[in-house]
Amino acid sequence: MSGPFGIRCAEKNKISLATLLTGLVSLSVALTLTILLLASYHSNKESLFETTFALNYSAATKMSHSIDSLFQSMRTGLAYTGARLSAGDLSDAQELQRQLEALRLGSHYFNSIAVVDETGLVRGVDPPSVGTTGLHIATEATKEALAVKKSYISKPYYSATGRLIVFMSEPLFDKDGTYRGFIGGSLYLQENNILNMMFGMHNHLNSDGSYFYVVSSNGHLLFHPDKSRIGDDINANLVVQKTLRGESGYEQVTNSQGITFLAGYSPVLENGWGVVVQSPINVVYDELNRNIRTILLYTLAPFVVLLIAAIWLARRLARPFVSLADLAGRLGRGERIVLPEAKHHWNREADLLTQTITLALSDLQKQTEQLAHAAMTDSLTGLTNRRTFESIMTQWTDEQYSFALIVMDIDRFKSINDTYGHQAGDEVLKHLARVVTSSVGPHDICCRYGGEEFVVLLPLASVPDALTTAERIRTAFETRENTLEIQITVSSGIAHYPSHAESADMLFQRADHALYRAKESGKNRTIVAD
């Protein structure tokens, strides 16, 4: 084709430089955003898997250690009372009853306690309503306990009354070493007991579907969010099999309903039980999708602005794009980046575009840091949340860093919620947060542990220092004006590391027990752990 018409057609088929550069810039922006999303997705996926595994394994380990310590204490309590009884006269029914009642009510370890002589005759039982005094033992567990003549713990079994029971005993020997029977305690697994007191408040499905369960040494469920499943045989579960072999760890498992979980598991050495803590895998993918949506929310507008600017400028900007794409990829992989100093390019348009992208990445990094801060902070009070508190306390104990712990709880908080409503209760919680923050030093760590319970970590503080701080908080909270215009008080428990405990878990238990004593002894007071 020749002539002017042919020339015009040839020109129409050619791509202008501005269009070509606009297309290249658009493609570069699209690829950068895609790389950012893919890198962020894979990095966050790996991080979330590792974090979930670590948290579930840590929770399972802590629970197994707590159960282990509990059963050691229960065994010690039985042995101590048994030693006192074996030195006396087992036929003295009144003294026998007094000792058994003192052990049951004093420790709250067992639902019932009995003393059986060497012939299998039940000499005494508490509470008396059990009604077996004067009868011979009939269950296989008690017969086995009598026969082994040593410390014994049964597998879960159903009694004649239909109760699911775990039974443990300690032998009785007189001063000449003659076997005189045993003292035994029973836990009614489907009723209120010491294990329910320790773990019952946590033994439910979390909002994300995570939960834990406890299995006996023969693979039967002892605790589960679905109480109807207690007593079920779950030996087919691979994680349960590993736990009962004494192994601990974490792995991905699929349950009988076909649901995939990320599970952490740990055995209880004292009694051969196992603890499994697991979270559904779809929780991780839901979190990943939320992260992607968040990144899109904060990056889409800046990148649209960038694209419009690129179309308007339409110049060769290869080198700035390469540098900025590298920064975006590193940020997407979760790396901490330091934005380079602004360097002016010889080309005015390239200089403007570089500054625009840098501003967009800076905004994205700020948003990421804000999300990280939100994950560490209690949304109601603005204080550090429970997960961060546990991480800090574990780190300090691992490093053997001396500190004091104050655990505090608002007195009669439930009645405030019931009387004035939950919104008023939230104002009381925020009021306590302000009082605590204003009453401690700049290096002290204030946390909301959960509900109306707050904790304070005092680095390098002694017990007297902690007591002074706790009393300052208590007095300020009692006297300072609040939105309800009523007097509200707080009770506190104090423990010191390493004076009171050698681990973070035990230290918190000691402080929490001191808080419990403060509540029991009249509230509005501070008690230091023994």
Side-chain angles (χ1 to χ4, degrees), residues 194-236:
I194 186 64
L195 294 177
N196 288 332
M197 292 173 62
M198 289 181 63
F199 300 117
M201 66 181 65
H202 305 295
N203 197 27
H204 60 273
L205 282 169
N206 292 331
S207 58
D208 63 359
S210 300
Y211 65 93
F212 80 91
Y213 59 87
V214 181
V215 295
S216 66
S217 58
N218 61 350
H220 287 72
L221 280 173
L222 301 178
F223 288 92
H224 193 277
D226 183 358
K227 292 186 178 181
S228 66
R229 296 196 60 191
I230 293 178
D232 286 358
D233 184 350
I234 58 170
N235 273 294

Short mmCIF file of all heavy atoms in Angstrom, two decimals, residues 194-236:
data_model
loop_
_atom_site.label_atom_id
_atom_site.label_comp_id
_atom_site.label_asym_id
_atom_site.label_seq_id
_atom_site.Cartn_x
_atom_site.Cartn_y
_atom_site.Cartn_z
N ILE A 194 -10.41 -30.83 91.65
CA ILE A 194 -9.25 -29.93 91.59
C ILE A 194 -8.82 -29.67 90.16
O ILE A 194 -8.35 -28.59 89.81
CB ILE A 194 -8.08 -30.53 92.42
CG1 ILE A 194 -6.90 -29.54 92.48
CG2 ILE A 194 -7.63 -31.87 91.85
CD1 ILE A 194 -7.23 -28.26 93.20
N LEU A 195 -8.97 -30.69 89.28
CA LEU A 195 -8.59 -30.49 87.88
C LEU A 195 -9.51 -29.49 87.20
O LEU A 195 -9.08 -28.67 86.39
CB LEU A 195 -8.61 -31.82 87.15
CG LEU A 195 -7.57 -32.85 87.59
CD1 LEU A 195 -7.75 -34.15 86.83
CD2 LEU A 195 -6.16 -32.32 87.41
N ASN A 196 -10.80 -29.55 87.54
CA ASN A 196 -11.73 -28.55 86.99
C ASN A 196 -11.37 -27.16 87.46
O ASN A 196 -11.49 -26.18 86.72
CB ASN A 196 -13.17 -28.88 87.41
CG ASN A 196 -13.71 -30.09 86.68
OD1 ASN A 196 -13.30 -30.36 85.58
ND2 ASN A 196 -14.60 -30.82 87.30
N MET A 197 -10.95 -27.06 88.73
CA MET A 197 -10.56 -25.76 89.26
C MET A 197 -9.36 -25.20 88.51
O MET A 197 -9.26 -24.00 88.26
CB MET A 197 -10.24 -25.87 90.75
CG MET A 197 -11.45 -26.18 91.63
SD MET A 197 -10.99 -26.52 93.35
CE MET A 197 -10.25 -24.95 93.80
N MET A 198 -8.41 -26.08 88.15
CA MET A 198 -7.21 -25.62 87.45
C MET A 198 -7.47 -25.29 85.99
O MET A 198 -7.04 -24.27 85.48
CB MET A 198 -6.11 -26.69 87.53
CG MET A 198 -5.49 -26.86 88.88
SD MET A 198 -4.20 -28.13 88.85
CE MET A 198 -3.03 -27.39 87.71
N PHE A 199 -8.21 -26.18 85.29
CA PHE A 199 -8.31 -26.06 83.85
C PHE A 199 -9.73 -25.86 83.34
O PHE A 199 -9.93 -25.63 82.16
CB PHE A 199 -7.74 -27.30 83.17
CG PHE A 199 -6.29 -27.52 83.50
CD1 PHE A 199 -5.89 -28.66 84.17
CD2 PHE A 199 -5.34 -26.60 83.13
CE1 PHE A 199 -4.55 -28.86 84.48
CE2 PHE A 199 -4.01 -26.80 83.42
CZ PHE A 199 -3.61 -27.93 84.10
N GLY A 200 -10.70 -25.99 84.21
CA GLY A 200 -12.09 -25.92 83.75
C GLY A 200 -12.41 -24.63 83.05
O GLY A 200 -13.15 -24.59 82.08
N MET A 201 -11.85 -23.50 83.53
CA MET A 201 -12.17 -22.21 82.94
C MET A 201 -11.62 -22.09 81.52
O MET A 201 -12.08 -21.28 80.74
CB MET A 201 -11.61 -21.08 83.81
CG MET A 201 -10.09 -21.04 83.88
SD MET A 201 -9.48 -19.71 84.95
CE MET A 201 -10.09 -20.25 86.53
N HIS A 202 -10.58 -22.90 81.20
CA HIS A 202 -10.02 -22.85 79.85
C HIS A 202 -10.57 -23.95 78.96
O HIS A 202 -10.32 -23.95 77.76
CB HIS A 202 -8.49 -22.99 79.91
CG HIS A 202 -7.83 -22.00 80.82
ND1 HIS A 202 -7.85 -20.64 80.56
CD2 HIS A 202 -7.15 -22.16 81.99
CE1 HIS A 202 -7.19 -20.01 81.52
NE2 HIS A 202 -6.76 -20.90 82.39
N ASN A 203 -11.29 -24.90 79.53
CA ASN A 203 -11.68 -26.10 78.77
C ASN A 203 -12.94 -25.85 77.95
O ASN A 203 -13.99 -26.40 78.19
CB ASN A 203 -11.90 -27.27 79.74
CG ASN A 203 -11.89 -28.58 79.00
OD1 ASN A 203 -11.27 -28.71 77.95
ND2 ASN A 203 -12.58 -29.57 79.54
N HIS A 204 -12.81 -24.93 77.00
CA HIS A 204 -13.93 -24.66 76.11
C HIS A 204 -13.37 -24.22 74.76
O HIS A 204 -12.20 -23.90 74.62
CB HIS A 204 -14.83 -23.56 76.69
CG HIS A 204 -14.12 -22.27 76.89
ND1 HIS A 204 -13.43 -21.98 78.05
CD2 HIS A 204 -13.96 -21.19 76.10
CE1 HIS A 204 -12.89 -20.78 77.97
NE2 HIS A 204 -13.20 -20.28 76.78
N LEU A 205 -14.23 -24.21 73.77
CA LEU A 205 -13.80 -23.77 72.44
C LEU A 205 -13.54 -22.28 72.44
O LEU A 205 -14.39 -21.49 72.86
CB LEU A 205 -14.89 -24.12 71.42
CG LEU A 205 -14.95 -25.57 70.96
CD1 LEU A 205 -16.23 -25.79 70.17
CD2 LEU A 205 -13.75 -25.93 70.12
N ASN A 206 -12.36 -21.86 71.98
CA ASN A 206 -12.09 -20.45 71.82
C ASN A 206 -12.82 -19.94 70.59
O ASN A 206 -13.33 -20.71 69.78
CB ASN A 206 -10.58 -20.21 71.67
CG ASN A 206 -9.83 -20.51 72.95
OD1 ASN A 206 -10.37 -20.37 74.04
ND2 ASN A 206 -8.58 -20.93 72.83
N SER A 207 -12.85 -18.63 70.44
CA SER A 207 -13.56 -18.05 69.31
C SER A 207 -12.96 -18.48 67.98
O SER A 207 -13.64 -18.49 66.96
CB SER A 207 -13.53 -16.51 69.43
OG SER A 207 -12.19 -16.05 69.47
N ASP A 208 -11.68 -18.83 67.96
CA ASP A 208 -11.06 -19.28 66.73
C ASP A 208 -11.13 -20.79 66.56
O ASP A 208 -10.56 -21.34 65.60
CB ASP A 208 -9.60 -18.82 66.66
CG ASP A 208 -8.74 -19.42 67.79
OD1 ASP A 208 -9.29 -20.17 68.61
OD2 ASP A 208 -7.54 -19.14 67.81
N GLY A 209 -11.81 -21.51 67.45
CA GLY A 209 -11.95 -22.95 67.32
C GLY A 209 -10.87 -23.74 68.01
O GLY A 209 -10.87 -24.98 67.96
N SER A 210 -9.92 -23.08 68.67
CA SER A 210 -8.85 -23.80 69.38
C SER A 210 -9.38 -24.37 70.70
O SER A 210 -10.27 -23.78 71.33
CB SER A 210 -7.69 -22.85 69.69
OG SER A 210 -7.15 -22.32 68.50
N TYR A 211 -8.86 -25.51 71.10
CA TYR A 211 -9.24 -26.10 72.37
C TYR A 211 -8.18 -27.12 72.79
O TYR A 211 -7.25 -27.42 72.03
CB TYR A 211 -10.61 -26.77 72.28
CG TYR A 211 -10.69 -27.96 71.37
CD1 TYR A 211 -10.50 -29.26 71.85
CD2 TYR A 211 -10.97 -27.80 70.01
CE1 TYR A 211 -10.58 -30.36 71.01
CE2 TYR A 211 -11.05 -28.89 69.17
CZ TYR A 211 -10.86 -30.17 69.66
OH TYR A 211 -10.93 -31.25 68.84
N PHE A 212 -8.30 -27.63 74.03
CA PHE A 212 -7.38 -28.67 74.48
C PHE A 212 -8.19 -29.81 75.08
O PHE A 212 -9.34 -29.65 75.47
CB PHE A 212 -6.37 -28.12 75.49
CG PHE A 212 -6.89 -27.99 76.90
CD1 PHE A 212 -6.76 -29.03 77.81
CD2 PHE A 212 -7.52 -26.83 77.32
CE1 PHE A 212 -7.24 -28.92 79.10
CE2 PHE A 212 -8.00 -26.70 78.61
CZ PHE A 212 -7.86 -27.76 79.50
N TYR A 213 -7.56 -30.97 75.13
CA TYR A 213 -8.17 -32.11 75.80
C TYR A 213 -7.09 -32.92 76.50
O TYR A 213 -5.90 -32.81 76.18
CB TYR A 213 -8.98 -32.97 74.84
CG TYR A 213 -8.22 -33.55 73.67
CD1 TYR A 213 -7.54 -34.78 73.79
CD2 TYR A 213 -8.19 -32.90 72.44
CE1 TYR A 213 -6.86 -35.32 72.72
CE2 TYR A 213 -7.50 -33.44 71.37
CZ TYR A 213 -6.84 -34.64 71.50
OH TYR A 213 -6.17 -35.19 70.44
N VAL A 214 -7.51 -33.69 77.50
CA VAL A 214 -6.60 -34.51 78.31
C VAL A 214 -7.03 -35.97 78.16
O VAL A 214 -8.22 -36.28 78.22
CB VAL A 214 -6.64 -34.09 79.80
CG1 VAL A 214 -5.67 -34.94 80.61
CG2 VAL A 214 -6.30 -32.62 79.95
N VAL A 215 -6.04 -36.84 77.94
CA VAL A 215 -6.32 -38.27 77.81
C VAL A 215 -5.63 -39.03 78.94
O VAL A 215 -4.57 -38.63 79.43
CB VAL A 215 -5.86 -38.83 76.45
CG1 VAL A 215 -6.66 -38.21 75.33
CG2 VAL A 215 -4.37 -38.59 76.23
N SER A 216 -6.22 -40.15 79.33
CA SER A 216 -5.64 -41.00 80.36
C SER A 216 -4.57 -41.88 79.75
O SER A 216 -4.37 -41.92 78.54
CB SER A 216 -6.73 -41.85 81.01
OG SER A 216 -7.26 -42.76 80.06
N SER A 217 -3.90 -42.66 80.61
CA SER A 217 -2.82 -43.52 80.16
C SER A 217 -3.32 -44.64 79.25
O SER A 217 -2.51 -45.26 78.55
CB SER A 217 -2.08 -44.11 81.37
OG SER A 217 -2.99 -44.83 82.19
N ASN A 218 -4.62 -44.92 79.26
CA ASN A 218 -5.14 -45.95 78.35
C ASN A 218 -5.89 -45.33 77.16
O ASN A 218 -6.66 -46.00 76.49
CB ASN A 218 -6.06 -46.92 79.10
CG ASN A 218 -7.28 -46.23 79.71
OD1 ASN A 218 -7.34 -44.99 79.73
ND2 ASN A 218 -8.22 -47.00 80.21
N GLY A 219 -5.67 -44.02 76.92
CA GLY A 219 -6.20 -43.39 75.72
C GLY A 219 -7.65 -42.97 75.79
O GLY A 219 -8.27 -42.76 74.75
N HIS A 220 -8.21 -42.81 76.99
CA HIS A 220 -9.60 -42.37 77.13
C HIS A 220 -9.63 -40.89 77.50
O HIS A 220 -8.80 -40.41 78.27
CB HIS A 220 -10.33 -43.19 78.19
CG HIS A 220 -10.65 -44.59 77.74
ND1 HIS A 220 -9.67 -45.56 77.61
CD2 HIS A 220 -11.82 -45.18 77.39
CE1 HIS A 220 -10.22 -46.69 77.21
NE2 HIS A 220 -11.53 -46.50 77.06
N LEU A 221 -10.62 -40.18 76.96
CA LEU A 221 -10.74 -38.74 77.22
C LEU A 221 -11.10 -38.47 78.67
O LEU A 221 -12.06 -39.06 79.20
CB LEU A 221 -11.80 -38.12 76.32
CG LEU A 221 -11.37 -37.83 74.87
CD1 LEU A 221 -12.57 -37.38 74.05
CD2 LEU A 221 -10.31 -36.75 74.84
N LEU A 222 -10.32 -37.57 79.30
CA LEU A 222 -10.62 -37.14 80.67
C LEU A 222 -11.23 -35.73 80.67
O LEU A 222 -12.07 -35.42 81.51
CB LEU A 222 -9.35 -37.14 81.52
CG LEU A 222 -8.64 -38.49 81.64
CD1 LEU A 222 -7.38 -38.34 82.46
CD2 LEU A 222 -9.55 -39.53 82.27
N PHE A 223 -10.77 -34.88 79.75
CA PHE A 223 -11.30 -33.53 79.60
C PHE A 223 -11.46 -33.24 78.11
O PHE A 223 -10.62 -33.60 77.30
CB PHE A 223 -10.37 -32.49 80.23
CG PHE A 223 -10.36 -32.51 81.72
CD1 PHE A 223 -9.43 -33.29 82.41
CD2 PHE A 223 -11.28 -31.78 82.45
CE1 PHE A 223 -9.43 -33.33 83.78
CE2 PHE A 223 -11.28 -31.82 83.83
CZ PHE A 223 -10.36 -32.59 84.50
N HIS A 224 -12.56 -32.56 77.77
CA HIS A 224 -12.84 -32.20 76.37
C HIS A 224 -13.93 -31.13 76.39
O HIS A 224 -14.78 -31.13 77.28
CB HIS A 224 -13.32 -33.43 75.60
CG HIS A 224 -13.32 -33.23 74.11
ND1 HIS A 224 -14.37 -32.61 73.46
CD2 HIS A 224 -12.41 -33.54 73.16
CE1 HIS A 224 -14.09 -32.56 72.17
NE2 HIS A 224 -12.91 -33.12 71.95
N PRO A 225 -13.89 -30.17 75.43
CA PRO A 225 -14.95 -29.15 75.41
C PRO A 225 -16.35 -29.75 75.33
O PRO A 225 -17.29 -29.22 75.90
CB PRO A 225 -14.62 -28.33 74.15
CG PRO A 225 -13.17 -28.54 73.93
CD PRO A 225 -12.86 -29.92 74.41
N ASP A 226 -16.46 -30.87 74.62
CA ASP A 226 -17.73 -31.58 74.54
C ASP A 226 -17.78 -32.61 75.67
O ASP A 226 -17.19 -33.69 75.57
CB ASP A 226 -17.85 -32.27 73.17
CG ASP A 226 -19.21 -32.96 72.99
OD1 ASP A 226 -20.02 -32.92 73.94
OD2 ASP A 226 -19.43 -33.53 71.92
N LYS A 227 -18.46 -32.28 76.77
CA LYS A 227 -18.45 -33.14 77.94
C LYS A 227 -19.03 -34.53 77.66
O LYS A 227 -18.72 -35.48 78.37
CB LYS A 227 -19.23 -32.48 79.08
CG LYS A 227 -18.54 -31.24 79.63
CD LYS A 227 -19.27 -30.70 80.85
CE LYS A 227 -18.54 -29.49 81.43
NZ LYS A 227 -19.22 -28.96 82.63
N SER A 228 -19.85 -34.62 76.62
CA SER A 228 -20.42 -35.93 76.31
C SER A 228 -19.37 -36.91 75.81
O SER A 228 -19.60 -38.12 75.79
CB SER A 228 -21.53 -35.77 75.26
OG SER A 228 -20.98 -35.32 74.02
N ARG A 229 -18.21 -36.39 75.41
CA ARG A 229 -17.15 -37.26 74.90
C ARG A 229 -16.21 -37.76 75.98
O ARG A 229 -15.33 -38.58 75.71
CB ARG A 229 -16.35 -36.53 73.82
CG ARG A 229 -17.14 -36.17 72.58
CD ARG A 229 -16.22 -35.83 71.44
NE ARG A 229 -15.34 -36.95 71.11
CZ ARG A 229 -14.29 -36.85 70.30
NH1 ARG A 229 -14.00 -35.69 69.74
NH2 ARG A 229 -13.53 -37.90 70.04
N ILE A 230 -16.33 -37.24 77.22
CA ILE A 230 -15.45 -37.68 78.31
C ILE A 230 -15.64 -39.18 78.52
O ILE A 230 -16.75 -39.67 78.66
CB ILE A 230 -15.75 -36.90 79.59
CG1 ILE A 230 -15.36 -35.42 79.41
CG2 ILE A 230 -14.99 -37.49 80.78
CD1 ILE A 230 -15.66 -34.55 80.60
N GLY A 231 -14.54 -39.89 78.52
CA GLY A 231 -14.56 -41.34 78.65
C GLY A 231 -14.41 -42.06 77.32
O GLY A 231 -14.19 -43.28 77.31
N ASP A 232 -14.49 -41.34 76.17
CA ASP A 232 -14.35 -41.98 74.87
C ASP A 232 -12.94 -42.51 74.66
O ASP A 232 -11.95 -41.91 75.13
CB ASP A 232 -14.67 -40.98 73.75
CG ASP A 232 -16.16 -40.69 73.63
OD1 ASP A 232 -16.93 -41.30 74.40
OD2 ASP A 232 -16.53 -39.87 72.80
N ASP A 233 -12.82 -43.60 73.93
CA ASP A 233 -11.53 -44.18 73.57
C ASP A 233 -11.05 -43.53 72.27
O ASP A 233 -11.68 -43.66 71.23
CB ASP A 233 -11.68 -45.69 73.38
CG ASP A 233 -10.35 -46.38 73.11
OD1 ASP A 233 -9.35 -45.67 72.87
OD2 ASP A 233 -10.32 -47.63 73.13
N ILE A 234 -9.91 -42.80 72.32
CA ILE A 234 -9.38 -42.13 71.12
C ILE A 234 -7.96 -42.61 70.83
O ILE A 234 -7.11 -41.85 70.35
CB ILE A 234 -9.43 -40.60 71.27
CG1 ILE A 234 -8.64 -40.14 72.50
CG2 ILE A 234 -10.84 -40.09 71.33
CD1 ILE A 234 -8.46 -38.62 72.54
N ASN A 235 -7.69 -43.87 71.12
CA ASN A 235 -6.36 -44.43 70.87
C ASN A 235 -5.98 -44.40 69.39
O ASN A 235 -4.79 -44.50 69.06
CB ASN A 235 -6.29 -45.87 71.39
CG ASN A 235 -5.90 -45.91 72.86
OD1 ASN A 235 -4.78 -45.55 73.21
ND2 ASN A 235 -6.82 -46.34 73.70
N ALA A 236 -6.95 -44.30 68.50
CA ALA A 236 -6.64 -44.27 67.07
C ALA A 236 -5.96 -42.98 66.64
O ALA A 236 -5.33 -42.93 65.59
CB ALA A 236 -7.94 -44.47 66.26
#
